[in-house]
Amino acid sequence: MADEAVAARAAEPAAPKAKEARSPEAPPRGGGRGDDRAKDAPERPDAPEPTDTSDSADDEAGEREKERERAADRFKDRTRDPLTEEEGEEGPTDAAAAARARREGQKLLSSNRDLIGFDRSDIGQVHIGDINVRLDALRSGLLMRDGPVPAEELLRIRRTHIEPDGYVRLRRALEARRLLVLGGAPGTGRASTALALLEEVTRAGEGRENSERVRRADPARGVRELATQVAGGTGGHPRGTGYLLEPALDRPGTLPPDGMDLDQLASALAEQGSYAVVVVSVGSAANPLLAGRYGAICPPAPTRELVAVRLRQRLEEEHGDPVRSGGAGGPGGGDGRGPRDGDGSRDAGGGRDRNGGAHRDRGRDEHADRDGGEGRDRDSRRSTDRDRDGSPDGGGHGRRDGDGGRDGDGGRGRDGRAGRDGGRSGDRPGRGAGPDGDGSLSLLLERAAELREDPEVTEAVGLDDLRPAEAELFASLLAGHLRGTVSRAELLSGCRGLAAVQAYEWFAGVDRALAAPPPGDGRTPVRSGTAALFHPVAFRIALAVLGGASHSAVSAAAHLLTWELSVQSDPDSTPARPLFCDDPEADLALSRARPADGVVDVAGSEVTGRLIFYRGSALPAAVLAELWDRHFPVRAPVVRWLRLLADDPRPQVSMRAAVAAGELSVRDFEHGYAELIRPLAEAPTPRRRVFAATALDQAAGHASHRRAVRKVVDNWSLHGTPAQRWTAAMALGYGRCADSMDDTLDTLAEIGVRDDGEQLAVASLNVVRLLTLPECATVLRRLAAWTGHRREEYQDLALVSIVRLALTDVDEVLDDEPGTPLGDRGDWPLLLALAATRPELTGKLADLFWTALNTARSRDVALDALETLLRSASRKDGRAWTREGLAALLPALTAEEQDRRRLDWLLRRMMRDQDRPLAEERARALWRLAVPARQRRSEEEESHG
């Protein structure tokens, strides 16, 4: 061992030598007490013979040996895993999977987002700077009333609607069958697409001269009543009318129309030369409709193009339209094709002109047919428009990227690529530039493209894709900031509010429909209303809590929560739980979720699984904040549900739920502590107590609650029940529940030595967990001090921690991601990983492990641990494993002759092991790692090479 390590040990205060225990630091290496080696003397041919041969000495030695064995058994019991469910259980716990699940859960919920950055007392209206955007008017279903669609709205749709992929296919289906059932998630622009389809087909049909040719149908009447109205002409509507119907299928007891109802409506429409689009939300109720001959899915509009059009529109509103004023600058200007609209496209924005729509449609359809269908519809339209306008820029498009324009405006070039370089390198002025070519609008668009890509803005938005209302607000914020009316802080706050608005819309008035009367069509409902009503919101809550877990785990948790919500809503009824009505694709669409292939921890192994995430990092925290801050009655069922998740044996479920429970407690610590943390901290099972400790640590991660959490942990450590002290020890192991590392170690020591070491196992485990933190050297110094303490309990705490350090893998206790020195050695024993990555600590680590090897009660367990370390030098296939760590540790551990003799004996025993014999060449390699050539004795050379 290093000289400085020996000197440091000698300077420590000596402990009195107990009857069966040697002083941990007193004897020099090789000079240990004889009784420490007596037990193994018959197995060690080179061990010295006992010197005392008298009968009394033999009896005394026998008693000491028995006492030593009892002490060794007690010590071994303290090295067991404290996380096992029942005392005496030997099965391993999946601590590594738990650590990974906690880390992944924290990534989804620790973005420190300001979820209340704007006034949510009137969430339907956002006012930032001089921007006033009403969101309720854009919300699905709120404008669905019986009556004609105003001409102004149809004109706005024609000018600004962004056609989704497959738009041509949808229009063809409507023209062919007269009826289209259009499915999509609320807020994705499905109603706007339906209006755009109806406006286009009726403009070319029999109702082209009718100023009220597109009408909204009352959603309460349903498909059957609409068919009767159209067939009988009772509404006085002229031929060629287009109808938009959005039936309220989400009301409890409401049954979707069947195939015969749809056929009857299609027949009536054909007789009147009319059209109808029925808009439904994807889900179990609407799936039969969407799977039929009239059904189709409406893809969402592309986010980049949507924001680009809205942004250009906002900026042009400020600067005016030079083309409307007679200017002719810029590409595509003054070509005689009619006035442009607010987004820089012609009157029929989105790529359609008012008088030539049919001609362009024929050309577009030809391109679509030639290209082979839906996947190329949009590219075909672009190609046709370029040919028609005679300009590579396609000056009349409503479809742009980046900053709202094509090549010259920083958007896509002909190769379809988007990038900021294209916007800055364009030499042509923007389409909004006046004849003097000052290019002020072009410069604003350029700056807008850069601002959109600003990492801080992107993080503040926190959504992978924007829906139409969100794009409207985002474009307004960007334009306001560029014009100087919205500050940087207001811009970021407004961007953070997008996810909060989405969460509000998901939960506002969900169960209001329970009070609605049953349908008046004479049919009897055949399915329970509450389960179907609550399942979508339950799935969103489950995804916020368990995001990144397997899809099956999230879905199962959602069904548990659906049950709890249904019972809370109607305690006198047993809610029906449909078994074959799940639609995974609908769950994804309704919750803005995405699947991803990944790995799932199962019984200590990683297997491939289908994971699920929100489409945006801001949504999990926004959902939890909305749930906890605005919907107090839902807290009781959610608390019961979280307690169920705390009992789940899968770490991917229980640890993620614990992290979410900590975040909810931060939003109302009084409630979270009383209903979640304290009851689970007093639970009889370790799994629930780990849940409580993890939730406490998550709350301690917030500066606003750190002091309160530390007070709780301190009180439990001093005055709590045994279960509370156990929980406090687990919380301290994360390193954030005390004021300093010294305070953490002091508290762990008090827990570990109390009541004759009743909690010593869990205290030692959390001492080891602290060794992965930057203050590792402080922990090692404290361990060295405990080995020389006068009380045996402190010595045992140190010895158990040292042995556990050798037996614990890095990924069982590490919070770091792979890519760090320790994170890249996840399957290494922590002792060897520290020796390899922190060479300045090698001497201290070797000193501590040498102490465990030379103490009677810990020697057997420490030898077994050393054998485990030696066997980890290389993998079964011969590849190097922990050889680097052993090369650093073994020379310091075998600096004296007695230590080398012990290693020689252990290698011999491993080679003679009948179950797992160590190969001779591996034994030689290990010996050479530990002992320099000049220190090897001849008989050892003969054995180990």
Side-chain angles (χ1 to χ4, degrees):
M1 183 174 294
D3 294 339
E4 62 271 21
V6 176
R9 181 185 303 110
E12 296 173 3
K17 298 182 180 181
K19 183 176 180 180
E20 94 292 349
R22 56 171 293 281
S23 173
E25 80 290 340
R29 295 204 172 183
R33 285 172 43 160
D35 62 352
D36 289 346
R37 298 188 302 271
K39 179 181 178 181
D40 295 318
E43 296 182 274
R44 303 187 188 188
D46 53 351
E49 294 294 332
T51 58
D52 191 348
T53 57
S54 65
D55 294 340
S56 60
D58 289 343
D59 293 341
E60 185 178 348
E63 288 298 323
R64 288 200 304 270
E65 181 66 18
K66 291 179 182 179
E67 181 61 29
R68 190 192 70 81
E69 291 177 356
R70 288 192 291 270
D73 290 340
R74 290 194 300 270
F75 185 89
K76 184 176 181 180
D77 184 64
R78 287 171 172 174
T79 61
R80 66 179 176 81
D81 188 352
L83 302 181
T84 52
E85 286 294 332
E86 300 295 339
E87 194 170 322
E89 183 179 339
E90 296 296 335
T93 56
D94 203 347
R100 284 191 290 270
R102 171 179 171 269
R103 183 169 63 240
E104 292 165 3
Q106 285 181 321
K107 286 194 299 185
L108 294 179
L109 293 174
S110 62
S111 58
N112 298 320
R113 299 179 56 84
D114 178 14
L115 297 177
I116 52 174
F118 60 95
D119 182 12
R120 297 193 302 160
S121 59
D122 182 10
I123 199 74
Q125 182 169 331
V126 177
H127 182 78
I128 301 173
D130 66 346
I131 297 171
N132 192 8
V133 180
R134 292 198 59 82
L135 299 173
D136 54 357
L138 301 174
R139 207 170 299 157
S140 173
L142 294 184
L143 289 181
M144 293 298 294
R145 296 294 182 268
D146 194 10
V149 178
E152 294 79 6
E153 184 175 350
L154 292 179
L155 180 60
R156 181 186 63 83
I157 290 290
R158 291 172 59 191
R159 287 177 172 175
T160 63
H161 179 254
I162 301 298
E163 299 173 358
D165 289 337
Y167 181 87
V168 170
R169 177 181 55 82
L170 297 177
R171 181 177 53 75
R172 286 176 179 170
L174 180 58
E175 290 173 336
R177 299 187 178 94
R178 300 281 176 170
L179 174 62
L180 180 67
V181 179
L182 195 61
T188 56
R190 54 189 185 161
S192 296
T193 298
L195 287 174
L197 289 167
L198 291 171
E199 192 279 332
E200 186 171 354
V201 296
T202 57
R203 178 160 42 90
E206 299 181 35
R208 67 175 66 90
E209 304 299 332
N210 179 15
S211 61
E212 298 181 353
R213 65 178 185 274
V214 179
R215 303 183 61 87
R216 290 187 173 93
D218 187 350
R221 295 182 179 178
V223 169
R224 184 175 295 183
E225 291 192 24
L226 178 60
T228 303
Q229 181 183 21
V230 172
T234 56
H237 306 156
R239 293 177 60 84
T241 299
Y243 298 91
L244 174 61
L245 173 64
E246 190 169 352
L249 299 181
D250 57 346
R251 295 174 56 181
T254 301
L255 294 173
D258 54 32
M260 294 183 62
D261 295 333
L262 296 176
D263 289 338
Q264 181 182 0
L265 176 58
S267 176
L269 292 169
E271 291 177 3
Q272 296 294 325
S274 299
Y275 303 89
V277 177
V278 179
V279 175
V280 297
S281 294
V282 292
S284 59
N287 282 347
L289 303 178
L290 297 175
R293 68 172 67 91
Y294 303 104
I297 296 295
C298 179
T303 294
R304 293 186 62 85
E305 299 182 10
L306 194 62
V307 173
V309 171
R310 300 296 183 260
L311 181 58
R312 174 176 283 273
Q313 183 180 5
R314 292 287 178 268
L315 294 176
E316 287 182 346
E317 286 173 358
E318 174 71 14
H319 280 264
D321 193 335
V323 178
R324 293 182 185 274
S325 303
D335 57 3
R337 293 185 180 268
R340 296 174 182 266
D341 64 22
D343 66 353
S345 61
R346 304 192 188 282
D347 282 344
R352 298 186 297 274
D353 68 43
R354 183 175 304 189
N355 300 317
H359 172 75
R360 205 198 76 164
D361 288 339
R362 287 194 297 271
R364 182 172 59 189
D365 293 349
E366 292 171 2
H367 277 273
D369 292 338
R370 184 168 63 250
D371 289 344
E374 174 186 352
R376 301 184 182 179
D377 288 341
R378 191 168 56 170
D379 293 336
S380 301
R381 293 195 297 273
R382 288 174 178 163
S383 175
T384 306
D385 291 338
R386 285 196 297 267
D387 294 340
R388 184 191 64 180
D389 289 345
S391 168
D393 287 339
H397 285 272
R399 184 170 286 98
R400 307 170 184 85
D401 79 337
D403 58 3
R406 294 197 179 259
D407 296 345
D409 292 328
R412 289 189 182 91
R414 295 192 182 194
D415 57 358
R417 293 177 298 175
R420 292 159 57 184
D421 293 341
R424 290 192 292 267
S425 62
D427 295 326
R428 296 184 295 272
R431 281 174 285 188
D436 57 353
D438 61 357
S440 58
L441 178 60
S442 179
L443 292 176
L444 283 176
L445 291 172
E446 224 176 275
R447 291 173 56 199
E450 297 178 357
L451 187 60
R452 282 188 57 191
E453 303 299 330
D454 187 317
E456 193 174 10
V457 172
T458 301
E459 189 277 334
V461 171
L463 299 172
D464 293 351
D465 43 48
L466 297 180
R467 292 180 171 179
E470 296 162 352
E472 186 87 9
L473 178 56
F474 184 48
S476 299
L477 290 168
L478 293 176
H481 183 65
L482 292 172
R483 296 195 306 262
T485 59
V486 174
S487 67
R488 176 83 174 182
E490 289 175 326
L491 169 65
L492 297 178
S493 180
C495 291
R496 294 187 183 103
L498 294 175
V501 171
Q502 173 64 93
Y504 171 84
E505 293 180 0
W506 276 341
F507 292 102
V510 167
D511 54 353
R512 189 175 295 123
L514 289 176
D521 57 7
R523 292 181 294 173
T524 302
V526 297
R527 60 185 177 89
S528 171
T530 55
L533 186 68
F534 287 128
H535 180 71
V537 294
F539 190 88
R540 292 162 188 154
I541 297 170
L543 183 56
V545 171
L546 304 179
S550 64
H551 195 165
S552 61
V554 174
S555 181
H559 278 292
L560 287 177
L561 182 55
T562 300
W563 176 277
E564 294 292 345
L565 294 174
S566 301
V567 171
Q568 185 77 11
S569 175
D570 187 6
D572 296 329
S573 302
T574 300
R577 183 176 180 178
L579 300 180
F580 297 98
C581 291
D582 272 9
D583 184 353
E585 298 304 321
D587 288 340
L588 295 177
L590 292 174
S591 301
R592 299 183 74 161
R594 62 177 176 85
D597 293 332
V599 295
V600 179
D601 292 293
V602 179
S605 301
E606 293 184 350
V607 297
T608 302
R610 187 172 188 256
L611 311 183
I612 183 172
F613 301 86
Y614 268 117
R615 295 183 63 85
S617 60
L619 287 172
V623 167
L624 294 184
E626 173 67 25
L627 178 73
W628 218 241
D629 293 348
R630 297 179 63 90
H631 305 282
F632 296 103
V634 85
R635 287 187 176 188
V638 170
V639 165
R640 293 196 300 267
W641 175 67
L642 288 173
R643 291 179 180 180
L644 291 175
L645 298 186
D647 293 325
D648 196 294
R650 295 168 295 180
Q652 65 163 326
V653 173
S654 59
M655 293 304 291
R656 283 181 168 87
V659 171
E663 288 296 314
L664 293 176
S665 298
V666 168
R667 308 205 71 85
D668 188 346
F669 193 72
E670 177 189 16
H671 187 272
Y673 175 77
E675 299 295 330
L676 277 171
I677 294 176
R678 187 176 62 185
L680 294 179
E682 297 170 349
T685 60
R687 185 174 286 120
R688 285 197 161 199
R689 298 198 293 266
V690 169
F691 184 100
T694 305
L696 271 176
D697 171 73
Q698 187 67 18
H702 295 259
S704 58
H705 289 71
R706 193 166 299 146
R707 182 177 179 183
V709 170
R710 290 174 178 177
K711 184 66 174 177
V712 168
V713 172
D714 190 54
N715 286 337
W716 285 356
S717 303
L718 294 176
H719 312 296
T721 64
Q724 288 176 335
R725 294 199 303 272
W726 194 100
T727 305
M730 288 300 300
L732 288 165
Y734 291 114
R736 296 192 292 193
C737 293
D739 293 333
S740 66
M741 181 59 71
D742 285 327
D743 290 340
T744 301
L745 293 167
D746 287 340
T747 307
L748 282 173
E750 291 170 359
I751 295 173
V753 304
R754 185 172 174 178
D755 299 332
D756 296 326
E758 178 185 356
Q759 306 283 2
L760 192 144
V762 69
S764 65
L765 170 64
N766 288 284
V767 171
V768 172
R769 292 171 65 197
L770 295 174
L771 286 167
T772 63
L773 302 179
E775 300 92 336
C776 175
T778 302
V779 182
L780 294 180
R781 285 195 300 270
R782 185 61 66 88
L783 286 173
W786 288 341
T787 60
H789 202 279
R790 294 181 179 276
R791 290 181 57 184
E792 184 178 318
E793 292 85 356
Y794 280 91
Q795 298 174 18
D796 282 352
L797 176 59
L799 294 171
V800 171
S801 300
I802 295 165
V803 172
R804 198 180 297 281
L805 172 62
L807 297 174
T808 301
D809 287 347
V810 170
D811 57 7
E812 295 181 86
V813 293
L814 185 68
D815 285 336
D816 291 349
E817 291 281 356
T820 62
L822 283 180
D824 289 338
R825 295 170 172 81
D827 60 349
W828 283 37
L830 181 56
L831 176 62
L832 297 182
L834 288 174
T837 60
R838 301 285 299 273
E840 73 278 9
L841 302 178
T842 301
K844 296 178 181 179
L845 293 168
D847 279 355
L848 291 169
F849 197 58
W850 181 90
T851 300
L853 288 169
N854 286 276
T855 302
R857 59 184 179 276
S858 62
R859 181 182 59 198
D860 292 343
V861 178
L863 277 173
D864 291 341
L866 179 58
E867 179 177 344
T868 301
L869 296 179
L870 294 173
R871 290 186 182 277
S872 70
S874 57
R875 303 184 187 276
K876 292 181 179 180
D877 58 4
R879 292 183 295 117
W881 186 1
T882 65
R883 181 183 177 88
E884 179 187 1
L886 287 169
L889 180 69
L890 288 179
L893 192 62
T894 58
E896 300 180 6
E897 177 64 23
Q898 178 62 31
D899 305 324
R900 291 191 290 273
R901 293 173 63 188
R902 176 172 49 229
L903 178 62
D904 172 63
W905 170 83
L906 182 58
L907 289 173
R908 292 172 186 267
R909 190 181 76 172
M910 293 168 64
M911 293 172 65
R912 295 195 300 267
D913 191 325
Q914 295 184 358
D915 296 325
R916 299 175 60 199
L918 182 67
E920 183 178 351
E921 58 272 15
R922 291 193 177 185
R924 290 176 180 173
L926 290 170
W927 179 252
R928 289 169 179 167
L929 278 180
V931 183
R934 64 180 182 277
Q935 295 178 352
R936 300 173 195 158
R937 298 187 294 113
S938 58
E939 61 270 22
E940 292 165 347
E941 287 289 331
E942 183 178 348
S943 298
H944 306 301

